[in-house]
């Protein structure tokens, strides 16, 4: 489980997370840079079932609700999932009213710090909409560097990489 950060605590998705996921997935400002469009309720619920499977093979991996420590408000999501045995994808998403406050950076840095606790993880990946300059700045503040443009799930995506733990020399 991801430990608390300065302003947030992280709760791994459970079936009870579905309403919050559906709420976030139906927000056009949020989803514009993820799927290109807001999801209807049925599509959001179907996607939630897939998201629940992320990280099922690793206790630390998965999707997390992000809540304000001060009042327990649901503000967004954090993603910490394996792409390969040594490669983690981090992601973050906040409701529009929480943008521009440095909280995306706090979440991303916290996920990177969390990844460093696992010696087998050698790199973190961030995948963003290339038009999302705010997410680009967040990843760059965290030390990520642009790697490549790639079409993923039919959407143009910018892939950023951050080396985490160097593999042993030998």
């Amino acid at each position: 489980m991801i430990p608390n950060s300065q302003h947030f605590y992280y709760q791994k998705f459970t079936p009870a997370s579905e309403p919050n996921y559906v709420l976030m997935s139906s927000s056009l400002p949020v989803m514009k840079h993820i799927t290109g469009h807001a999801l209807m309720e049925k599509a959001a619920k179907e996607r939630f079932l897939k998201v629940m499977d992320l990280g099922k093979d690793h206790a630390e991996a998965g999707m997390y609700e992000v809540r304000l420590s001060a009042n327990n408000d649901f503000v967004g999501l954090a993603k910490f999932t394996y792409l390969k045995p040594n490669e983690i994808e981090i992601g973050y998403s906040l409701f529009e009213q929480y943008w521009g406050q440095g909280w995306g950076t706090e979440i991303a840095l916290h996920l990177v710090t969390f990844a460093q606790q696992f010696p087998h993880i050698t790199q973190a990946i961030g995948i963003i909409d290339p038009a999302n300059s705010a997410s680009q700045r967040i990843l760059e503040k965290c030390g990520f560097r642009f790697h490549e443009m790639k079409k993923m799930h039919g959407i143009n995506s910018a892939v950023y990489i951050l080396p985490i733990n160097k593999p042993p020399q030998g």
Side-chain angles (χ1 to χ4, degrees):
M1 300 298 281
I2 298 174
N4 297 344
S5 63
Q6 182 181 354
H7 294 100
F8 306 111
Y9 74 88
Y10 304 82
Q11 177 181 318
K12 200 165 187 180
F13 272 18
T14 68
S17 304
E18 183 185 62
N20 287 332
Y21 184 82
V22 170
L23 183 65
M24 181 156 254
S25 297
S26 65
S27 167
L28 179 58
V30 172
M31 296 305 289
K32 175 174 71 171
H33 294 297
I34 298 172
T35 61
H37 61 279
L39 301 180
M40 301 301 287
E41 184 176 359
K42 181 180 180 201
K45 287 181 175 188
E46 289 170 0
R47 187 175 165 124
F48 177 76
L49 293 175
K50 292 177 185 173
V51 165
M52 283 293 294
D53 281 343
L54 295 175
K56 65 183 175 191
D57 297 332
H58 298 87
E60 71 279 5
M63 292 289 281
Y64 289 79
E65 290 187 24
V66 178
R67 294 182 170 274
L68 277 173
S69 298
N71 60 14
N72 196 37
D73 282 354
F74 172 71
V75 299
L77 310 173
K79 181 179 186 179
F80 192 85
T81 59
Y82 284 91
L83 298 174
K84 298 178 184 173
N86 65 335
E87 184 178 85
I88 199 83
E89 179 186 355
I90 69 158
Y92 43 85
S93 181
L94 293 167
F95 279 112
E96 187 176 21
Q97 65 263 35
Y98 301 107
W99 295 356
Q101 298 176 48
W103 289 354
T105 301
E106 178 180 331
I107 294 166
L109 282 171
H110 192 65
L111 294 174
V112 167
T113 300
F114 184 61
Q116 291 169 337
Q117 297 177 32
F118 302 95
H120 66 280
I121 297 176
T122 59
Q123 68 179 5
I125 305 293
I127 302 168
I128 63 167
D129 174 350
N132 189 342
S133 58
S135 273
Q136 178 185 347
R137 283 191 303 277
I138 288 170
L139 289 177
E140 289 173 350
K141 281 186 207 174
C142 294
F144 285 79
R145 296 292 169 247
F146 175 77
H147 178 67
E148 67 180 334
M149 292 296 295
K150 196 173 191 179
K151 199 150 200 116
M152 302 179 79
H153 310 289
I155 299 171
N156 288 328
S157 301
V159 178
Y160 284 74
I161 294 179
L162 174 68
I164 297 284
N165 300 305
K166 296 186 183 199
Q169 299 289 322

